[in-house]
Amino acid sequence: MTSSPSRPRSRRERPAKPALSHEAIVAAAVRVLEAEGLPRVTMRRLAQELDTGPASLYVYVANAAELHAAILEEYLGEVDLSPVTAAGDWRERLAAVLDSCTGVLLRHPALAHAALVARPSGPHYLALVEAVLALLHEGGVPDGQAAWGVDVLLQVATATAAEQSARQGEQAEREQAALTDALRAAPAATYPRIAALGDDLVSGAPEERLSWMFRAVVNGTRTTPRPA
Amino acid sequence: MTSSPSRPRSRRERPAKPALSHEAIVAAAVRVLEAEGLPRVTMRRLAQELDTGPASLYVYVANAAELHAAILEEYLGEVDLSPVTAAGDWRERLAAVLDSCTGVLLRHPALAHAALVARPSGPHYLALVEAVLALLHEGGVPDGQAAWGVDVLLQVATATAAEQSARQGEQAEREQAALTDALRAAPAATYPRIAALGDDLVSGAPEERLSWMFRAVVNGTRTTPRPA
DNA sequence: ACCTGAACACCGTTCAAGT
DNA sequence: ACCTGAACACCGTTCAAGT
């Protein structure tokens, strides 16, 4: 955000050469992500966006992985935490927070994938952990179980988004079809339970399944004591 | 490593130019994976290993992602399914199968990561699904819940391995330390629950936590009815 | 002291041209 | 018909050299 050195304009089309900084790089990354998708968020593309060479970015960012984590932190701020203080059943409000989290990750597919690799530790991530812990506490879940349960819950939210987002495009649809076919064609002699359950294995809308998953994991967290 | 064209040998050090096939490519991939790690399992490296150009591989493999899925299928054959027919508590035997699955994925780190992206559908994967279903059935878990539960269980096994394997190397250790610090330093005013739980959030050995996770998800699967 | 051009060592995938 | 050399369009990261 440098000022134009010649004549000032009330509204410039684009800042000629914004000063480099960690913040500016993350902002550029978000811009490119929104406009061109995460595969294009590369050090080189970002350098181009910031009108410099790729080497310059390494003054502010350790590597590409750290950058991905920073982008993730940024987006975690979009998770709707209002259900924490809303009225209603704590389970439903917890599911709402987790649904929002999955939704944010799904909105920018490959981001979810980054979420599994990079462990964030910024304020937005902490706020999300706090929200889940607060709702588990409200539901009377013992502290020790809540402490470990928050991990599984966020993992399910993240992994589901990562899976879903990976299964986009024609190739992934063929893979999904291959799995459905393989399950249906599984011989009852070798795979009796698969045969017995049949289409039930792939039944239900994704949201329905995800919602059940969250409830199941919450119930498990509530009822499973930690080892002594 | 070409064979000498002059005199024949009873035992060549290495086949001069193995015939190309999907099988041969996967075998070469496993070889390179074991010797050099997954980052080196690239189309180009494999082509070199098979003494040809990268373009030739595309006659037998659609793309790099499909190849990763094939490698994963291969390794899933190493999962120990013997607990299915062993004696003892079904929960413990189910945990043993899932532990073995996580173990296989952890043995070759980045493989787990591929497992989240590529949905396999080969016989080894089906056998794993069958094993989990059989044990849930033995435990009296209703069919519908088992059908959806197997997804969460394998997801937890996979995601845990992916997380763990991503957290290797110096950089990842610093990230983990940053998270621990951030949790400890979280001000009680903004993050009361995090502050209340303290070190409990990062307590326990990884295996202990994983074992608890499996038990919690199994319990949740057993007790959470599917929507009508 | 701070920044970066240019290079190093790679990628996946395609396609025209060979056998 | 089957295979592939060479090219296209990229990567992340480093470091010597500039200002």
Side-chain angles (χ1 to χ4, degrees), chain A residues 113 116-117 119 130 137 143 155 160 167 175 179 191-194 197 200 203 212 216 219-220 224 226, chain B residues 113 116 119 130 137 143 148 155 160 167 175 179 191-194 197 200 203 212 216 219-220 224 226:
Chain A
H113 177 250
L116 279 168
V117 175
R119 172 79 71 170
E130 173 69 23
H137 184 65
D143 281 2
Q155 193 185 65
T160 300
R167 297 194 209 320
E175 248 177 46
L179 176 60
Y191 308 105
R193 295 310 306 156
I194 292 179
L197 295 183
D200 211 7
S203 69
W212 178 85
N219 284 339
T224 307
R226 261 171 51 175
Chain B
H113 178 250
L116 280 169
R119 171 80 70 171
E130 173 69 23
H137 184 65
D143 281 2
W148 287 12
Q155 193 185 65
T160 300
R167 295 194 213 319
E175 249 177 46
L179 176 60
Y191 308 104
R193 294 310 306 156
I194 292 179
L197 295 183
D200 213 7
S203 69
W212 179 85
N219 283 339
T224 308
R226 263 170 50 174

Side-chain angles (χ1 to χ4, degrees), chain A residues 14-60:
Chain A
R14 207 213 252 187
K17 180 129 182 180
L20 277 186
S21 69
H22 189 276
E23 220 175 67
I25 294 171
V26 173
V30 169
R31 224 153 54 224
V32 173
L33 178 61
E34 300 276 350
E36 305 172 31
L38 191 118
R40 301 296 304 261
V41 182
T42 66
M43 301 300 268
R44 293 177 108 99
R45 177 68 189 82
L46 257 36
Q48 182 192 313
E49 182 78 9
L50 293 164
D51 212 0
T52 183
S56 306
L57 304 184
Y58 287 85
V59 177
Y60 306 98

Side-chain angles (χ1 to χ4, degrees), chain B residues 61-115:
Chain B
V61 180
N63 50 44
E66 197 211 85
L67 180 62
H68 282 99
I71 301 173
L72 176 64
E73 229 306 292
E74 197 75 10
Y75 275 100
L76 283 183
E78 288 182 13
V79 177
D80 178 19
L81 301 180
S82 68
V84 176
T85 52
D89 180 63
W90 68 275
R91 285 167 212 260
E92 266 167 46
R93 287 182 286 136
L94 179 48
V97 169
L98 294 169
D99 269 338
S100 170
C101 180
T102 307
V104 166
L105 294 176
L106 278 177
R107 211 131 55 226
H108 296 289
L111 207 63
H113 178 250

Side-chain angles (χ1 to χ4, degrees), chain A residues 62-63 65-66 69 113 115-130 133-135 137 143-152 155-157 159-163 166-167 171 174-176 178-180 182-183 186 190-197 200-205 208-210 212-213 215-217 219-221 223-228, chain B residues 62-63 65-66 69 113 115-130 133-135 137 143-152 155-157 159-163 166-167 171 174-176 178-180 182-183 186 190-197 200-205 208-209 212-213 215-217 219-228:
Chain A
N63 51 44
E66 197 210 85
H113 177 250
L116 279 168
V117 175
R119 172 79 71 170
S121 60
H124 291 143
Y125 179 72
L126 289 189
L128 177 58
V129 170
E130 173 69 23
L133 287 176
L135 285 163
H137 184 65
D143 281 2
Q145 290 161 221
W148 286 12
V150 64
D151 246 34
V152 206
Q155 193 185 65
V156 169
T160 300
E163 282 188 355
R167 297 194 209 320
Q171 154 84 7
R174 242 178 293 126
E175 248 177 46
Q176 186 64 39
L179 176 60
T180 307
L183 287 171
T190 321
Y191 308 105
R193 295 310 306 156
I194 292 179
L197 295 183
D200 211 7
L201 285 164
V202 289
S203 69
E208 232 181 354
R209 290 178 76 113
L210 183 61
W212 178 85
M213 283 185 187
R215 275 180 293 128
V217 175
N219 284 339
T221 299
T223 61
T224 307
R226 261 171 51 175
Chain B
N63 50 44
E66 197 211 85
H113 178 250
L116 280 169
V117 174
R119 171 80 70 171
S121 61
H124 291 142
Y125 179 73
L126 289 188
L128 178 58
V129 170
E130 173 69 23
L133 287 175
L135 286 164
H137 184 65
D143 281 2
Q145 289 160 222
W148 287 12
V150 65
D151 246 33
V152 206
Q155 193 185 65
V156 169
T160 300
E163 282 188 355
R167 295 194 213 319
Q171 154 83 9
R174 244 179 291 125
E175 249 177 46
Q176 187 64 39
L179 176 60
T180 306
L183 287 170
T190 321
Y191 308 104
R193 294 310 306 156
I194 292 179
L197 295 183
D200 213 7
L201 285 165
V202 290
S203 69
E208 231 180 357
R209 291 178 75 114
W212 179 85
M213 283 186 186
R215 275 181 291 130
V217 175
N219 283 339
T221 299
R222 217 170 49 76
T223 60
T224 308
R226 263 170 50 174

